Amino acid sequence: MLQLLDTLQVVFYVPMLALLGQGLLFVLAGARREGNFFYTTLRLIARPFTFVVRKIAPAAIEDRHVPLITFALLLVASFVVFAERGVLMCQQLGYLDCR
């Protein structure tokens, strides 16, 4: 179970870092970011997650807000996995009062 949580944590961290990189290039490159190779690569890495959020999100949410919402959801999910992993490790060490 611990190995599954470790894998899940990495699966959440990689697109989070890609979305952070996209945000940084958005600030640095401005309107020319679409032609930037690194921006395109980072967008490709985060695309499966942003696609799912776009399908789940209501139509009232603009497309430019989807990466931010995706990052927020990934942040919450990674925190849940981190907390669950901590509890599991605590229980494996034999501490009964872990919460």
Side-chain angles (χ1 to χ4, degrees):
M1 184 66 169
L2 189 60
Q3 199 170 23
L4 174 68
L5 291 175
D6 287 341
T7 304
L8 203 56
Q9 199 169 18
V10 169
V11 167
F12 290 151
Y13 282 164
V14 169
M16 279 176 50
L17 289 173
L19 288 167
L20 278 176
Q22 276 183 286
L24 183 65
L25 283 174
F26 176 80
V27 171
L28 294 176
R32 297 182 305 156
R33 69 184 178 276
E34 295 298 329
N36 190 322
F37 171 74
F38 294 108
Y39 183 82
T40 307
T41 304
L42 293 173
R43 197 170 73 189
L44 183 66
I45 292 170
R47 182 174 292 165
F49 295 90
T50 54
F51 178 77
V52 169
V53 171
R54 178 71 266 173
K55 292 297 179 187
I56 293 172
I61 295 186
E62 297 179 22
D63 286 339
R64 64 187 177 118
H65 296 282
V66 170
L68 184 61
I69 295 169
T70 305
F71 181 80
L73 289 174
L74 285 170
L75 187 65
V76 169
S78 67
F79 179 74
V80 169
V81 169
F82 176 77
E84 187 62 33
R85 192 172 160 265
V87 168
L88 186 63
M89 287 178 66
C90 188
Q91 289 173 350
Q92 284 181 354
L93 290 174
Y95 298 114
L96 300 176
D97 57 348
C98 292
R99 293 184 190 173

